[in-house]
């Protein structure tokens, strides 16, 4: 049963706690961006760039983490 909780975090080079914190932060940011979109739909002069900036920031963070995980995986295979 514990394997189900650890399999994916280990595959990206994280502990369960690290993955919980990172995924939770990403999720909260996406919820906030979504709320900004809904407000923007009603009041187009508010939050004009908020959601797009959040998405760009999250994409950059996820891409950097993915590259770091790939590098760590390659180093582990070479050892």
């Amino acid at each position: 049963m514990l394997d189900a909780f650890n399999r994916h975090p280990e595959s990206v080079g994280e502990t369960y706690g690290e993955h919980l914190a990172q995924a939770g932060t990403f999720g909260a940011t996406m919820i906030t961006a979504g709320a900004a979109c809904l407000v923007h739909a009603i009041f187009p002069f508010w939050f004009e760039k908020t959601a797009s900036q959040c998405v760009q920031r999250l994409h950059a963070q996820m891409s950097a983490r993915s590259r770091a995980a790939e590098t760590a995986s390659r180093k582990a295979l070479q050892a």
Side-chain angles (χ1 to χ4, degrees), residues 57-78:
R57 188 174 61 250
L58 286 175
H59 181 273
Q61 290 172 348
M62 286 184 178
S63 295
R65 291 169 48 77
S66 178
R67 285 190 300 274
E70 287 174 18
T71 300
S73 178
R74 273 189 247 121
K75 286 182 181 180
L77 288 175
Q78 292 173 351

Side-chain angles (χ1 to χ4, degrees), residues 19-71:
H19 191 270
L20 175 67
Q22 195 64 52
T25 299
F26 284 1
T29 301
M30 289 192 289
I31 289 169
T32 302
C37 283
L38 293 172
V39 172
H40 174 74
I42 298 167
F43 302 102
F45 46 89
W46 286 351
F47 306 116
E48 292 179 22
K49 297 180 182 179
T50 303
S52 61
Q53 289 171 343
C54 284
V55 169
Q56 290 169 353
R57 188 174 61 250
L58 286 175
H59 181 273
Q61 290 172 348
M62 286 184 178
S63 295
R65 291 169 48 77
S66 178
R67 285 190 300 274
E70 287 174 18
T71 300

Side-chain angles (χ1 to χ4, degrees), residues 3-18:
D3 183 58
F5 285 93
N6 293 315
R7 190 177 320 121
H8 173 66
E10 287 175 359
S11 75
V12 294
E14 296 175 338
T15 66
Y16 176 81
E18 290 169 337

